[in-house]
Amino acid sequence: MPQIPSLVSVSGSQNIFVVAVLQNLAQTHERWGELGVRKMFAAATVKGILGGVSDEQELKTYSQLAGEFEEDTESISDDGDRASISISTRRRAVLEPGDIRQIKEREDLVVHRRTPVTRVKFERIHEGPRAKEISEATKEALRKVNSHAAGS
């Protein structure tokens, strides 16, 4: 759909929420060009980033999205007669590109427009505490579908 970047960029103001699942930014650049990707990326209220990204530029982009924090570093100098301590502040990435590349399976980095980046874990619902209930409901639904199809 060539119009996806425009749809994503205007849909939120009309209470229409578009979910776009993209394998990587390079493929989206190839399909929709630089401007199209920027439109989608900027308009997306929530971005989810899975592990395994290996493109260096893409990892840097996500690292920049995660932001920075100030870190105090302490250094001690001793000339034999006296010691002094100095503290300096430096800015560091909240998540380095390598941290993002190594996001574990069934985890996601959630980048929301107004909140700090958050790492979340996915649970397959059919493996969780309601697994038996879901399995039984699935079997019942399949039974109904198959009995309806047999009657047609």
Side-chain angles (χ1 to χ4, degrees):
M1 290 181 60
Q3 66 273 29
I4 285 179
S6 295
L7 289 173
V8 170
S9 66
V10 300
S11 62
S13 64
Q14 299 176 27
N15 290 327
I16 299 170
F17 300 96
V18 177
V19 176
V21 179
L22 309 170
Q23 188 165 349
N24 64 41
L25 289 180
Q27 288 178 343
T28 58
H29 277 97
E30 182 178 58
R31 177 65 182 95
W32 292 294
E34 173 84 21
L35 183 59
V37 173
R38 288 182 61 206
K39 283 169 71 174
M40 281 193 296
F41 215 72
T45 305
V46 179
K47 298 162 192 64
I49 301 160
L50 301 172
V53 175
S54 59
D55 180 76
E56 187 177 338
Q57 187 57 50
E58 188 171 349
L59 289 166
K60 286 179 183 177
T61 298
Y62 298 148
S63 177
Q64 290 169 342
L65 271 178
E68 296 180 326
F69 69 98
E70 290 186 353
E71 176 183 64
D72 290 337
T73 56
E74 187 177 281
S75 60
I76 301 171
S77 59
D78 186 349
D79 65 4
D81 292 333
R82 63 176 213 244
S84 66
I85 299 173
S86 64
I87 297 174
S88 61
T89 303
R90 68 178 179 156
R91 296 192 60 77
R92 286 198 42 209
V94 170
L95 287 168
E96 295 291 340
D99 299 327
I100 297 167
R101 182 182 59 79
Q102 295 177 39
I103 295 170
K104 296 177 184 167
E105 187 175 336
R106 296 191 194 174
E107 287 188 358
D108 184 34
L109 194 62
V110 177
V111 182
H112 180 269
R113 191 174 281 168
R114 293 184 192 91
T115 57
V117 171
T118 305
R119 192 180 298 232
V120 297
K121 270 188 146 170
F122 295 113
E123 179 180 276
R124 292 180 179 161
I125 193 163
H126 63 278
E127 294 175 356
R130 297 180 57 205
K132 184 177 179 183
E133 175 187 347
I134 291 166
S135 176
E136 290 170 2
T138 302
K139 287 176 188 171
E140 177 62 17
L142 286 171
R143 186 191 63 73
K144 287 180 180 179
V145 167
N146 289 334
S147 68
H148 179 73
S152 302

